[in-house]
Amino acid sequence: MTTSISGLRNTSLQRRVSTGALAGTLVAAKPTIANNAGDATNDIDFGAGAAIDSTGVRRLVLAAMTKQLDAAWAAGTNAGGRMSAAGIADTTYHCHVIGGPGVPTDCGFDVSAGAPTLPTGYSWFRRIGSIIRASNNIRTFRQLGDRFWLVSSMTEASDTAAVAEGLLTLTAVPAGLKVRPLLTATLSVTGAGDMLHNLGDGDAASVFGVLRAQAASSQFLSVPIESLTTDTTRRIRRSVVVNSGTLASANLVVRGWIDDRGGPF
């Protein structure tokens, strides 16, 4: 027998909630976000799907729609999406599905991940992703589940000398929440030498060795990293140690981030 909830059929795109007040409830695929093809500078497409609200009590079923970051919030698709009264700025905006008693499910943007300003009549929300506006444009990305890949990767650090241990802000990932940055760390040594490229979580007390060049001749090392976690201000820990030899470069590149978007949907 086929079960239907809010007009959504029981297909492979649906699953059952495993925890919380709605345990056992059949829901649709998680809503997604994407840059709008017509106005990638300002607009985001929200994909159809369903999500449990931030309290774990209510199911919010969303039809596909497009919202405009450069306009104040208005109901429906191809309408304004900025819920905060503040003017548009270069910052992180969090993408929320919103609902309330007697109003259609909608969505919008807010600078807060956990306490967004909601339009009149709306009292439920669920963050489904986050975007970054920089240089008056929404950065372009591709979403695959909880992974958000930047269309153009960004070099956050490039050094040719030792770097004392400290906190590094990753401008290419969202602020206001902890994410796992998708990184590539490199280490290039000219001639014989011994040096390390170290990284650590933003909330950690110390770093750990990611790359070590210890050779009798020139060497280039590169490794992808997905295990670190930022703090809520986008920072991780980093150091570059030069025990001997000449460092040609120690680079850190951000390719995107992993965001669990609040846990189970």
Side-chain angles (χ1 to χ4, degrees), residues 1 30 49 53 64 80 113 122 132 136 151 173 187 197 219 224 230 238 250:
M1 180 178 72
K30 300 176 184 179
D53 82 331
Y122 287 83
I132 302 166
N136 301 320
V151 170
V173 304
L187 192 59
H197 195 167
Q219 190 174 28
T230 65
R238 177 176 182 261

Side-chain angles (χ1 to χ4, degrees), residues 208-247:
F208 60 89
V210 172
L211 286 173
R212 183 169 190 174
Q214 194 174 33
S217 60
S218 297
Q219 190 174 28
F220 175 79
L221 301 174
S222 177
V223 62
I225 302 165
E226 301 182 0
S227 58
L228 296 178
T229 302
T230 65
D231 63 14
T232 57
T233 57
R234 307 190 289 187
R235 300 179 304 177
I236 61 170
R237 300 194 73 84
R238 177 176 182 261
S239 70
V240 178
V241 178
V242 180
N243 293 319
S244 63
T246 301
L247 173 66

Side-chain angles (χ1 to χ4, degrees), residues 45 63 86 125 132 144 161 205 226-227 245 254 257:
D45 294 333
F125 70 91
I132 302 166
L144 180 61
E226 301 182 0
S227 58
V254 176
W257 63 90

Side-chain angles (χ1 to χ4, degrees), residues 49-76:
I52 307 305
D53 82 331
S54 61
T55 66
V57 174
R58 300 169 182 85
R59 184 184 66 254
L60 303 173
V61 180
L62 180 70
M65 64 174 59
T66 299
K67 302 298 279 190
Q68 302 161 349
L69 182 61
D70 57 338
W73 189 90

